[in-house]
Amino acid sequence: MEVSSKPLIDQRPITRLQYATVLICFLMNMLDGMDVMVISYAAPAIAKGWSVSPEALGIVFSSGLVGMTFGALFLTPYADKIGRKAMILVSAAIMGTSIFLTAYSTSVVALIGFRFISGLGIGCMLASTAALAAEYTPDKTRDFWVSFVVSGYPVGAVASGLVAAKVIPQYGWPSIFQLAGVATLMALPLVYFLLSESLEFYLKSQPRQALEKANDILARMGAGQLDTLPAKPVKRQGMPINSVLDGEYKLPTIQLWIALFLAFATLYFLTSWIPKLASNAGLSVELAIYAGTVFNVGAFFGIVTQGYFSSRYGLKRTIGVILILTGVLMAAFQLFIGSTVLLFVFGLLGFGIQGGFVGLYAVAARMYPTEFRTTGVGYSIGIGRLGGIIGPAIGGVLIGMGLSMVANFLIYAIPTVFAGIMTMYISSKKIS
């Protein structure tokens, strides 16, 4: 039998095990999106109840992103040692516990602390699920499936937004954190009993009982059995970051990091501040939450559409065009102020910025080999999240200075366009 699972996965019809893996990864990203967005939905109520300034809220938003960055950079690489499934379980436990405890915060400092801790788990989840989806799906449709898995993120954001719009006005902002925490913790048994570890991980990393576990997966996929494990690939020396910045990976990695940094800055400005900006514009708390929800509805369709067009026309071209057009729409936002199509425009912004930036996850998943794929994806997300930290923080300062939604959108159109341009110039030969 081949030493790699790639021919098996590429040449055979997709099995129930593969579909189950993709769907569970999709679900975990739904919970990821929910846990990221609950603070944005609760922000107007917290600001009103505690008299919190925009600058202080910006620090709360950014503390979660700092945690995500630390998680992606320093925890995610362990997935290449302990396995993707184990890292998903650890991430979900961290997320669920800290999100639930956030409901009992009594100060901004406590909010900052709990957001940082939850960010550690959130930062690992996307990288682990994206890597696992890439390793269980055929080459021809891999970009679509990775994008589909990550599209769970805005679906979770939408679902939590719809719930938040109802429960926060009636029961107060702590209720949405309690619900989100319980939902995340309830997913742990599902992951433990039903999610399969990566076959490539068993064949190449070869942890304990790798042969037995690999043969169990092969049996469930209707494939032949292995008598022995293949020769273990030579392990690269040095720190994990050396792998993604070595030889042929160095230049495309830097290009990918720049594109993600810029896209994250805009994305997290929008996801963090759209409800608050809409509230400042005179919308009720419920309608302000719906503005963020519509943004994430558009994001789901944008991610899936991007995945489809990327499979047909190439990742770099598709993502680049989507991001550039999104920047143009943000620059023209003034044209839609006061219009009946304003909510639709929020949806288009979600379609573009999330559809484009999620495609960069697929770029990372395709660019790096199994031996350090989760490390490569994790570092890419971690570096990108540095932009995500800066984006909401600067947004808080700009809003505190009195800049309008139009002015903020015009400023953030610039990094969005540059992210699209940089994406088109990523030089990896593995990506079209």
Side-chain angles (χ1 to χ4, degrees):
M1 173 176 258
E2 299 277 357
V3 298
S4 170
S5 66
K6 192 175 186 297
L8 169 69
I9 291 173
D10 287 346
Q11 296 169 14
R12 296 168 64 92
I14 297 180
T15 64
R16 286 187 295 177
L17 181 146
Q18 289 166 278
Y19 279 124
T21 300
V22 166
L23 288 175
I24 293 173
C25 288
F26 175 87
L27 171 64
M28 298 314 295
N29 281 329
M30 278 185 61
L31 296 172
D32 200 54
M34 173 183 67
D35 292 344
V36 169
M37 287 301 297
V38 286
I39 187 64
S40 298
Y41 296 137
I46 293 173
K48 183 177 180 180
W50 290 3
S51 300
V52 178
S53 68
E55 292 85 352
L57 276 180
I59 295 173
V60 173
F61 294 145
S62 292
S63 67
L65 290 161
V66 171
M68 294 177 210
T69 302
F70 272 76
L73 291 177
F74 302 115
L75 296 184
T76 294
Y78 285 99
D80 290 323
K81 297 181 179 180
I82 66 174
R84 287 80 164 108
K85 178 178 177 178
M87 185 55 69
I88 290 170
L89 283 168
V90 171
S91 300
I94 293 172
M95 288 161 51
T97 303
S98 56
I99 289 292
F100 182 81
L101 292 176
T102 304
Y104 301 95
S105 299
T106 56
S107 68
V108 171
V109 173
L111 279 179
I112 291 171
F114 284 125
R115 288 309 295 170
F116 175 81
I117 296 170
S118 63
L120 293 174
I122 293 167
C124 298
M125 183 65 75
L126 276 173
S128 300
T129 53
L132 190 57
E135 290 163 358
Y136 262 114
T137 49
D139 184 71
K140 287 186 178 180
T141 55
R142 183 163 297 142
D143 299 334
F144 170 78
W145 288 117
V146 171
S147 295
F148 173 78
V149 162
V150 181
S151 73
Y153 180 98
V155 173
V158 169
S160 60
L162 294 173
V163 174
K166 297 298 181 183
V167 303
I168 290 177
Q170 187 170 356
Y171 301 105
W173 65 264
S175 59
I176 191 62
F177 288 99
Q178 293 169 334
L179 291 172
V182 169
T184 304
L185 292 172
M186 287 177 64
L188 288 171
L190 182 69
V191 173
Y192 184 82
F193 290 108
L194 298 181
L195 185 64
S196 297
E197 182 54 86
S198 165
L199 181 56
E200 283 282 287
F201 171 74
Y202 286 138
L203 295 180
K204 294 187 176 181
S205 295
Q206 300 183 7
R208 288 184 180 181
Q209 298 181 312
L211 181 61
E212 293 84 350
K213 292 175 180 178
N215 279 331
D216 178 63
I217 293 174
L218 290 170
R220 285 188 285 158
M221 294 179 69
Q225 299 286 283
L226 288 169
D227 294 325
T228 60
L229 290 170
K232 193 172 183 179
V234 177
K235 186 177 181 180
R236 293 180 177 237
Q237 299 299 314
M239 298 290 289
I241 195 172
N242 292 348
S243 299
V244 300
L245 289 175
D246 185 38
E248 65 179 292
Y249 298 103
K250 183 175 183 179
L251 180 58
T253 291
I254 293 173
Q255 292 167 329
L256 175 62
W257 286 358
I258 293 171
L260 275 166
F261 180 92
L262 296 173
F264 260 107
T266 299
L267 171 67
Y268 277 94
F269 163 74
L270 292 173
T271 56
S272 296
W273 287 109
I274 278 180
K276 179 61 177 173
L277 285 168
S279 179
N280 287 352
L283 296 180
S284 66
V285 171
E286 185 173 354
L287 286 178
I289 290 174
Y290 281 136
T293 303
V294 169
F295 175 87
N296 283 290
V297 170
F300 171 76
F301 289 103
I303 292 169
V304 175
T305 301
Q306 172 272 124
Y308 171 76
F309 281 108
S310 292
S311 296
R312 290 178 61 89
Y313 302 110
L315 267 172
K316 294 188 292 184
R317 182 186 306 171
T318 301
I319 298 166
V321 169
I322 288 175
L323 288 173
I324 290 170
L325 290 178
T326 303
V328 171
L329 179 62
M330 292 179 67
F333 190 78
Q334 183 175 7
L335 300 176
F336 307 101
I337 294 295
S339 170
T340 56
V341 300
L342 185 59
L343 283 180
F344 179 71
V345 174
F346 281 128
L348 285 179
L349 288 174
F351 181 101
I353 190 64
Q354 293 238 47
F357 117 97
V358 163
L360 294 171
Y361 286 10
V363 170
R366 183 174 285 276
M367 195 161 73
Y368 301 111
T370 297
E371 297 92 312
F372 55 90
R373 177 170 290 133
T374 308
T375 296
V377 176
Y379 268 104
S380 297
I381 295 174
I383 295 298
R385 288 196 192 279
L386 293 176
I389 294 168
I390 293 171
I394 292 178
V397 173
L398 295 176
I399 294 167
M401 291 169 57
L403 266 68
S404 66
M405 181 183 289
V406 170
N408 277 282
F409 277 26
L410 183 60
I411 290 170
Y412 280 90
I414 298 171
T416 308
V417 170
F418 276 106
I421 295 171
M422 181 56 67
T423 299
M424 290 183 171
Y425 284 93
I426 294 174
S427 58
S428 175
K429 297 178 181 179
K430 299 181 180 179
I431 310 160
S432 58

